[in-house]
Amino acid sequence: MAASLHDLCALALCGVLAMGCSKGNGEGSAVGQVWAPDCGLDGGDFSLNPDFFAMQPSASVEIIDIVVQRGSDFKSYSDGISVFIREPELVKEAMLGVEIPFGGLEAPVEMTLYLNATCPGIARIPVAYGAVSGTIRFEELYVPWVSNATKQTIAVFSNVELVDGKDPDERRAVLDGDFSFLFE
């Protein structure tokens, strides 16, 4: 039986994603409070319990996207955080061990919380909050196109306030956590 066009497209997409993203062995946490009234989160204790760690480096534009999530499904079906590093060389060479603040237009690092498993399309309002304050500190950062003694990335984030830009008073989160993983 011949594969349908849909099946072939899905297979091709999986192949592209597998080439561009490397899953690492690691551990981490993200704990705090989340307010997402549309899906019953009212500021009570929240724990992400991540067990999937991945890095998507792009040497062509010199950026890195780190994914720390619960489960290995696509982001659109999982809960997790994404740490986008706009200037990985700067962070690796001049900012290891330094508290890097979130927020502002020139921040070298951004963080997003997404809750697509906990709140799957509730009222058609996705839960994706961006960091507006708090800090992240990298102890190690693997940057594939820079000389590295290790392929490990280690970071700690503190008092990170994440908000929905459309309703920051009602839809927000405050998280602390850490992650450590090896790029494979």
Side-chain angles (χ1 to χ4, degrees):
M1 175 181 251
S4 72
L5 181 58
H6 180 268
D7 292 338
L8 290 174
C9 289
L11 182 61
L13 178 61
C14 288
V16 168
L17 290 173
M19 289 187 307
C21 178
S22 180
K23 178 189 182 292
N25 292 321
E27 57 186 35
S29 68
V31 297
Q33 298 173 287
V34 176
W35 290 266
D38 297 329
C39 59
L41 297 174
D42 59 1
D45 291 341
F46 172 83
S47 183
L48 180 61
N49 299 317
D51 58 4
F52 178 83
F53 305 86
M55 176 185 282
Q56 295 175 297
S58 174
S60 64
V61 289
E62 297 183 346
I63 59 170
I64 290 177
D65 188 18
I66 295 171
V67 175
V68 176
Q69 73 180 30
R70 187 179 326 125
S72 61
D73 210 340
F74 291 111
K75 284 183 180 180
S76 56
Y77 299 106
S78 300
D79 293 345
I81 58 173
S82 175
V83 179
F84 180 78
I85 306 173
R86 181 178 289 113
E87 300 179 48
E89 281 187 54
L90 171 68
V91 172
K92 179 172 182 62
E93 295 172 357
M95 302 177 91
L96 290 182
V98 174
E99 300 290 332
I100 303 169
F102 289 113
L105 298 175
E106 300 298 321
V109 181
E110 299 174 8
M111 180 184 282
T112 304
L113 169 69
Y114 51 93
L115 299 175
N116 299 317
T118 298
C119 306
I122 301 296
R124 302 285 185 238
I125 301 174
V127 176
Y129 300 164
V132 295
S133 66
T135 61
I136 189 166
R137 182 182 73 247
F138 288 92
E139 298 300 330
E140 294 281 344
L141 178 61
Y142 176 65
V143 180
W145 56 90
V146 173
S147 176
N148 294 278
T150 179
K151 290 187 172 186
Q152 188 167 23
T153 295
I154 302 171
V156 176
F157 51 95
S158 302
N159 200 31
V160 179
E161 183 179 6
L162 303 110
V163 300
D164 177 337
K166 294 180 181 177
D167 192 0
D169 294 329
E170 294 291 320
R171 295 170 48 86
R172 59 193 176 90
V174 178
L175 298 176
D176 295 295
D178 61 85
F179 54 88
S180 172
F181 68 95
L182 289 171
F183 184 85
E184 294 180 359

